[in-house]
Amino acid sequence: MSDHQYTPESKFGKWFNDRLPLLTLANHLTDYPTPKNLNYWWTFGGILTFCLITQIVTGLVLAMHYIAHADMAFDSVEHIMRDVNYGWLIRYIHANGASMFFLAVYIHIFRSLFYGSYKAPREIIWIIGIIIYLLMMAAAFMGYVLPWGQMSFWGATVITNLFSAIPLVGEGIVTWLWGGYSVDNPTLTRFFTLHYLIPFLILGLVVLHIWALHVPGNNNPVGIDIKKPSKDTVPFHPYIVIKDGFALLMFMIVFAFFVFYTPNILGHADNYIEADPLVTPAHIVPEWYLLPFYAILRSVPDKLLGVVAMLSAIFILAVLPWLDTSKIRSAVFRPLYRQFYWILVADVLILGYVGAMPAEGLYLLIARVATAYYFLHFLVILPVLGFKEKTLPIPLSITEPVLGGSPNLATAKNKESLKIK
Amino acid sequence: MKKLLRIFFLLILITGIQSNSNAAEKVEYLKTDWSFKGLFGKFDRAALQRGYQVYTEVCSSCHSMKYLSYRNLAEKGGPEFTEDQAKVIAASFEVKDGPNADGDMFTRPGKLSDKFVMPYENVKAAQAANGGAYPPDMSVLVKARGGGVDYIYSLLQGYEDPPVGVTLDDGVYYNKYMYGNKIKMSNQLSDGLVEYSDGTNATVEQMSKDVTTFLMWAAEPHLEARHQMGFKAIIYLIILTVLVYFSMKRIWSRIKTEV
């Protein structure tokens, strides 16, 4: 992996490293040449790692006290909140941690979209990332079911029922998923098992994600290939470690504010009502991070096509590296794409908003337009833009514009242009 | 730093969307000052004790509180009755226990470790006694309603004669703040209904506020500990962030790039 050969200094270190090159790996990780112009949008990879570890650690503690049984799950959560030492803290960190995790992953994904990080040679990193994102959604959804409140129960009913849209075998699949003829105890126990399993799958994929990243190295705000190591790069430690650490601390302040001062604002009040199969809530709404997809699902009048649209909205991301035909990575040098990028951001936020509203009247109309635009962006605008767009000249290296003499001097000097507008 | 502010803005936006979605049906709730809101929010001890009195004398004849135990009444951050007072309170309830050595169930005076005694044997019995409506368990009630404490506080004072054109079935009452305005609980509070031992005038407004405060504590018994720890945690994080920021500046000054 590293260009230079690493030899440990101590005799034992050398003996050990010859047998298991852990020290070589550690050396690679600390020396890893990183572009020195990475901005704060690049700190979310580290933040996401923190989120994953936090969820796993708090989750382990919760699992020691939680009881996965339809009759006892709700009670056991209240037991955690009241009688387990600092149980309230652990549970609020875990519940809000899911939201913070998604907040960070959305920033991470949209950073990638802005700077073209998904383009060659980083397609595999990107696809692994999309799989991680999918698994995160599955884990979060199943986690939301575990407290066995009204939203847990009815959310599970709505989402699992989506599978019934599959022709011929749909109903059978739903029964199989439920482990019975309705969402009940077998559903809860299997969701708990999978909720426990998935984070470790994610952990494994994160290792692959980082491994795949370390082959070509990081993309950067200028979006050009750089020599490594060179004066364009800094070693990961201490430069990036301290910067990621600083950003992580800022993130943790926001996180702490939610946990300690508004721990329930991101959840739905109905989930503090114990699940009742005989009472349907007035509005069944998923957690905020799933709302854009929920809006897409509901904007299509046909059930099967709605499910197809929703899944396509996610899977379309996996083929994004081939839909975007532009050779230029960074939106900094793509004046048109930059505008479409922000329209897409607005579009997704609008989808999120209408996803939380009842699917009727004006909301439904907005949802349909926004859904259509979402697909238009990826299927038409991006492929066409690559051929039509007149891009700005790109610098030859990160340091070049700083040293002067480049035609892009003006662009590079204007510091704002390297940041997201 | 600008970018971080933008992230923060985004966050607020998302929170806004979420809280908006929670309050789909909008009515202006009655407002009052809650002592437990804010960074240093704490419960008003006297209000909690009065609220407990309202709960026991009024609400508890129909509403259970199955997640609370009598010991909670003496715990820190709650009404903070003395342990002896809590023992007396517990002993004033008859608790069903057993089976004993002969295999019989028996009743005994309550102990600190007992859960709050339930008004009905089961949900069916509760429904039968209340015209088919189940009086919800009150342990986490404030967290289970969109408007939270403001909603409960308003609801208790929201009984009115129905507007012209609205007809109510037997056993159904009109309430301004209830979802759909129809509620199966009749107006329970009237001025002077309970006699507060601390001499506070028991107006409907006062009792509503006291009992709602009590319900907030019941739903979040560790709220005070949470606020205290939160303040310390955030101060700690801010100091650490500042230190790390300057360390970062120093480290990055070795190369000519701004962070």
Side-chain angles (χ1 to χ4, degrees):
Chain A
M1 283 186 275
S2 231
D3 290 343
H4 62 283
Q5 202 58 46
Y6 168 76
T7 332
E9 277 170 25
S10 74
K11 221 174 156 188
F12 173 74
K14 199 174 171 321
W15 177 88
F16 186 88
N17 204 48
D18 285 344
R19 283 149 186 82
L20 178 67
L22 268 188
L23 292 167
T24 303
L25 177 67
N27 178 257
H28 162 78
L29 291 176
T30 52
D31 278 3
Y32 172 66
T34 319
K36 67 180 180 186
N37 62 335
L38 296 188
N39 56 33
Y40 282 103
W41 298 107
W42 259 267
T43 59
F44 282 88
I47 287 171
L48 283 162
T49 315
F50 164 81
C51 288
L52 178 62
I53 305 289
T54 306
Q55 291 304 87
I56 289 179
V57 172
T58 52
L60 278 172
V61 179
L62 289 175
M64 292 173 192
H65 301 280
Y66 171 76
I67 303 167
H69 189 287
D71 295 337
M72 287 179 271
F74 193 88
D75 289 0
S76 73
V77 171
E78 277 307 312
H79 164 69
I80 290 168
M81 291 298 289
R82 288 159 194 277
D83 295 332
V84 173
N85 289 332
Y86 297 104
W88 57 270
L89 178 62
I90 305 279
R91 172 162 179 260
Y92 278 155
I93 290 177
H94 197 74
N96 286 283
S99 282
M100 301 312 286
F101 206 157
F102 274 93
L103 177 73
V105 92
Y106 281 127
I107 294 173
H108 194 62
I109 292 172
F110 275 100
R111 185 270 291 160
S112 190
L113 291 180
F114 188 85
Y115 293 108
S117 302
Y118 48 86
K119 292 185 194 183
R122 298 186 180 82
E123 302 95 321
I124 299 294
I125 312 174
W126 171 257
I127 290 170
I128 292 173
I130 297 299
I131 299 171
I132 293 174
Y133 173 51
L134 264 175
L135 285 176
M136 274 175 66
M137 289 200 276
F141 159 66
M142 289 193 246
Y144 198 56
V145 173
L146 301 185
W148 213 239
Q150 274 290 68
M151 272 304 151
S152 301
F153 182 88
W154 290 98
T157 306
V158 169
I159 300 294
T160 47
N161 253 317
L162 294 179
F163 290 90
S164 70
I166 304 168
L168 302 172
V169 289
E171 294 294 337
I173 289 179
V174 173
T175 309
W176 177 70
L177 285 175
W178 285 342
Y181 296 101
S182 67
V183 174
D184 206 338
N185 197 49
T187 327
L188 177 60
T189 50
R190 66 191 55 191
F191 275 24
F192 180 54
T193 310
L194 293 173
H195 182 72
Y196 204 114
L197 168 73
I198 291 174
F200 296 98
L201 298 181
I202 293 177
L203 190 64
L205 285 167
V206 166
V207 171
L208 294 182
H209 193 64
I210 295 171
W211 185 3
L213 169 71
H214 280 228
V215 177
N218 289 72
N219 183 29
N220 65 77
V222 184
I224 54 170
D225 291 321
I226 50 166
K227 276 215 218 78
K228 300 166 295 164
S230 71
K231 60 180 183 231
D232 281 349
T233 66
V234 289
F236 189 77
H237 183 76
Y239 295 96
I240 302 301
V241 168
I242 188 100
K243 193 173 168 179
D244 278 2
F246 169 65
L248 173 62
L249 283 165
M250 296 284 283
F251 183 81
M252 283 169 79
I253 292 173
V254 178
F255 196 156
F257 182 80
F258 276 100
V259 168
F260 292 108
Y261 290 107
T262 58
N264 291 308
I265 198 167
L266 296 167
H268 197 291
D270 280 12
N271 227 27
Y272 277 107
I273 304 171
E274 198 168 352
D276 185 346
L278 301 176
V279 180
T280 319
H283 301 289
I284 300 172
V285 223
E287 292 268 83
W288 68 266
Y289 39 80
L290 302 175
L291 287 173
F293 299 107
Y294 194 55
I296 292 174
L297 170 78
R298 296 192 304 178
S299 69
V300 183
D302 181 76
K303 189 178 182 182
L304 177 61
L305 291 179
V307 176
V308 169
M310 181 178 71
L311 293 177
S312 310
I314 302 166
F315 286 112
I316 206 167
L317 293 171
V319 290
L320 178 62
W322 297 276
L323 288 173
D324 185 348
T325 50
S326 177
K327 292 278 176 285
I328 308 294
R329 291 198 192 100
S330 175
V332 173
F333 304 103
R334 300 183 63 191
L336 275 179
Y337 172 70
R338 196 157 64 206
Q339 290 170 32
F340 284 114
Y341 171 84
W342 286 111
I343 297 174
L344 179 74
V345 172
D347 188 62
V348 172
L349 288 176
I350 289 168
L351 278 172
Y353 179 75
V354 292
M357 295 296 146
E360 56 199 25
L362 187 62
Y363 292 129
L364 189 59
L365 182 70
I366 295 172
R368 285 181 176 158
V369 174
T371 301
Y373 184 80
Y374 181 90
F375 287 104
L376 189 77
H377 175 91
F378 289 107
L379 294 175
V380 180
I381 295 173
L382 278 190
V384 173
L385 214 52
F387 298 111
K388 297 283 180 197
E389 188 177 29
K390 201 170 175 310
T391 55
L392 302 175
I394 53 166
L396 296 171
S397 79
I398 293 171
T399 39
E400 181 229 34
V402 180
L403 295 173
S406 144
N408 309 308
L409 191 60
T411 324
K413 258 190 177 169
N414 180 6
K415 246 187 83 199
E416 277 306 304
S417 71
L418 291 179
K419 295 176 181 172
I420 283 188
K421 284 234 162 65
Chain B
M1 290 304 278
K2 266 188 201 160
K3 294 165 193 168
L4 291 163
L5 283 176
R6 284 197 189 112
I7 297 171
F8 201 76
F9 173 74
L10 195 78
L11 202 81
I12 290 166
L13 202 83
I14 290 167
T15 318
I17 291 173
Q18 183 72 10
S19 49
N20 223 348
S21 67
N22 283 352
E25 309 284 319
K26 284 223 178 70
V27 242
E28 276 298 313
Y29 295 129
L30 299 175
K31 293 277 179 255
T32 185
D33 287 329
W34 299 110
S35 64
F36 48 82
K37 296 241 161 135
L39 290 188
F40 304 102
K42 280 183 168 187
F43 289 114
D44 175 350
R45 232 46 82 193
L48 281 181
Q49 297 198 356
R50 289 195 300 268
Y52 172 70
Q53 188 183 346
V54 177
Y55 168 72
T56 334
E57 291 181 17
V58 187
C59 321
S60 73
S61 53
C62 299
H63 291 277
S64 61
M65 261 189 158
K66 60 178 175 178
Y67 297 120
L68 275 87
S69 306
Y70 295 110
R71 66 182 159 84
N72 296 138
L73 294 171
E75 278 166 8
K76 204 171 172 295
E80 295 190 3
F81 287 106
T82 63
E83 197 170 314
D84 290 333
Q85 283 174 320
K87 275 181 183 160
V88 172
I89 289 171
S92 69
F93 294 91
E94 287 275 288
V95 175
K96 197 171 181 187
D97 202 349
N100 61 15
D102 299 325
D104 300 322
M105 301 301 280
F106 60 95
T107 56
R108 57 162 176 79
K111 293 184 290 196
L112 286 182
S113 58
D114 285 319
K115 296 268 180 203
F116 277 22
V117 173
M118 311 266 274
Y120 301 103
E121 285 276 306
N122 50 53
V123 175
K124 287 283 173 216
Q127 283 172 331
N130 289 283
Y134 170 60
D137 184 86
M138 280 184 162
S139 313
V140 286
L141 193 68
V142 265
K143 291 202 282 186
R145 296 293 180 271
V149 278
D150 292 329
Y151 168 75
I152 304 285
Y153 175 71
S154 304
L155 184 96
L156 288 170
Q157 302 172 65
Y159 285 90
E160 283 181 349
D161 289 330
V164 187
V166 176
T167 45
L168 297 171
D169 294 337
D170 243 12
V172 178
Y173 307 88
Y174 189 86
N175 191 303
K176 207 155 64 156
Y177 302 102
M178 179 74 184
Y179 183 80
N181 298 123
K182 289 176 184 175
I183 184 166
K184 287 206 165 175
M185 176 176 83
S186 64
N187 189 4
Q188 296 297 320
L189 299 178
S190 57
D191 289 335
L193 181 70
V194 299
E195 198 177 318
Y196 283 138
S197 56
D198 63 0
T200 306
N201 190 11
T203 59
V204 168
E205 200 184 333
Q206 183 67 43
M207 287 185 287
S208 303
K209 188 169 176 176
D210 290 342
V211 80
T212 307
T213 306
F214 177 73
L215 291 179
M216 183 68 217
W217 165 76
E220 279 283 312
H222 298 295
L223 178 138
E224 286 187 14
R226 175 154 62 75
H227 285 177
Q228 282 163 14
M229 187 192 281
F231 185 72
K232 284 183 214 156
I234 288 173
I235 291 294
Y236 172 84
L237 282 172
I238 288 173
I239 293 171
L240 189 60
T241 308
V242 170
L243 290 177
V244 169
Y245 176 75
F246 285 113
S247 316
M248 176 178 74
K249 280 287 177 192
R250 182 138 183 207
I251 289 171
W252 277 77
S253 69
R254 294 177 205 160
I255 49 165
K256 285 195 173 75
T257 302
E258 269 193 58
V259 245

